[in-house]
Amino acid sequence: MPDRWREIPPTAGLPLRWRDFLPRAGANVLESTLAGILDVPSVQIECSGTAALVIAMTTLKQMSGRRSVVIPAYTCPLVALAVMHCGLLPVVCDLQRNHFDVSPEALEQSCNDDTLAIVPTHLGGRVADLNMVSAVARRNGAWVIEDAAQSLGATYQGRPVATLGDIGFCSLAVGKGLTLYEGGVLAARDENLRQALRETSAQAVPYRAAWEALRLAQLFAYGMLYRPGGLRLAYGVPLRRALKRNRLIDAVGDDFPPSIPIHRVGTIRRMIGGNAAIRLASFLAMLSEQAIARKKDLERISGLTVMGDSHGNDGTWPFLMVLMPTARARDAALARLWTAGLGVSRLFIHALPDYPRLAGKFGTPDVTNARDFAARMLTISNSPWLLDRDFATIQSVLAGVIDAAA
Ligand SMILES: *Cc1c(COP(=O)(O)O)cnc(C)c1O
């Protein structure tokens, strides 16, 4: 295929096969495969990661009078929206310098006797420091809700993430690995809490035929178009249009829905997801091998950092998070690579307080490190369709812009 028709997706989603649309997997294969990956007795499927978080916080809110939820200053804006949707107060916590994880000092300062929950976030497949967060949570009497939206399959000291806090959730949205087009997974260690989460869902989540029909059509379109030839149309064209108009938030799909859709996931989408889920573990293993080799290659360029995991933790690799030496170097790299069809992109555009739609929702927290991280980070897809020669092109552009700045 000519290169100008190819478009590499910015994250390594699990491609569907046409046979996934045939009734092969039994009714509960999705749930049982995910419960197996997470090593818990059962999981709960919701219509998005955001909806799963809403169910989690709604459940905890009923059990406590506390009303603040501490979230990282650099995360998916939907997380802040979910907190507000529940009538709770989002408190943003700055990151460590040059890192995706929250700063222990800032976390301690963000917590008090109103803190209902802390949301440690395994950003982009990387594993957050759960020991540190648990200690702060315990001191403050808060629950821990692990955001493993982008990290299904990652492990912390040998245990699956999303199962180490009190509650955890993963996303099954398009672009996050295994997908139902939109979907979420809820897990909890404690049987009583699992029961409470099921009850909240039974009470609060309606069946909506129109939403389900739309999602099924979208999942079908994903199945058809999620390949280098189809993604030019489905991803590349809208991306180029958004960038031409300088609409960065639209370009990465960080834009906000007017409200959070909450509805049941139907049996057909669960079945399709179940058929695909069987391939997830081997797909993740292949991605890990590719990413670790490419991370090493990139690290030969002096001045840039690739986010990794600390000893004993084993994340997943939807993409590589690359921290450039300066915002100028990052922007220069993106000017050449963002629309090159090579799967180079940005994650979330801003630190949370800098989204126009969220302005003023958090008071005036110090988010210096989160802002700096947002300004210097770019992502390189870990899709298997990104060939070695594509990767070499990216490497030489990155080395070139760093050289030019030096
Ligand atoms: C995508 C994402 C979410 C939300 O998940 P959806 O399934 O898109 O609702 C939450 N947190 C993080 C870190 C995410 O990347």
Side-chain angles (χ1 to χ4, degrees), residues 98-100 123-124 126 288 290-310 316-325 373 376-382 391 394-395 398 402:
N98 297 326
H99 206 277
F100 71 90
L123 194 73
R126 306 281 50 78
S288 175
Q290 172 170 280
I292 287 163
R294 288 184 173 175
K295 177 173 181 285
K296 275 211 189 92
D297 279 350
L298 278 175
E299 283 168 341
R300 283 206 285 267
I301 304 171
S302 74
L304 66 69
T305 317
V306 186
M307 288 292 127
D309 297 314
S310 46
T316 57
W317 298 92
F319 43 77
L320 298 162
M321 286 195 276
V322 177
L323 201 56
M324 297 290 280
F373 191 75
R376 288 196 288 128
M377 205 257 283
L378 59 80
T379 57
I380 304 176
S381 176
N382 191 38
F391 190 74
I394 295 168
Q395 256 180 299
L398 297 185
I402 291 175

Side-chain angles (χ1 to χ4, degrees), residues 11-67:
T11 67
L14 176 68
L16 292 178
R17 298 177 180 167
W18 68 268
R19 296 212 316 281
D20 293 338
F21 291 89
L22 301 179
R24 295 190 304 141
N28 290 317
V29 171
L30 178 62
E31 280 91 337
S32 62
T33 307
L34 292 172
I37 291 173
L38 295 177
D39 195 21
V40 285
S42 65
V43 298
Q44 190 173 318
I45 302 295
E46 297 295 342
C47 69
S48 67
T50 310
L53 177 58
V54 166
I55 301 290
M57 290 186 296
T58 305
T59 304
L60 298 181
K61 189 182 172 187
Q62 288 163 358
M63 301 159 84
S64 164
R66 295 174 172 223
R67 291 297 174 258

Side-chain angles (χ1 to χ4, degrees), residues 53-93:
L53 177 58
V54 166
I55 301 290
M57 290 186 296
T58 305
T59 304
L60 298 181
K61 189 182 172 187
Q62 288 163 358
M63 301 159 84
S64 164
R66 295 174 172 223
R67 291 297 174 258
S68 308
V69 177
V70 178
I71 61 179
Y74 186 74
T75 187
C76 178
L78 290 169
V79 171
L81 281 193
V83 176
M84 295 188 288
H85 173 97
C86 294
L88 297 166
L89 184 72
V91 175
V92 300
C93 175

Side-chain angles (χ1 to χ4, degrees), residues 48-50 75-76 78-79 121 147 149-150 169 171 173 176 182-183 348:
S48 67
T50 310
T75 187
C76 178
L78 290 169
V79 171
T121 302
D147 181 344
Q150 302 178 341
F169 71 96
S171 169
K176 309 226 186 179
E182 290 282 3
F348 314 117

Side-chain angles (χ1 to χ4, degrees), residues 278-291:
I278 296 165
R279 298 191 299 276
L280 183 63
S282 62
F283 183 68
L284 292 178
M286 177 191 67
L287 294 184
S288 175
E289 199 174 316
Q290 172 170 280

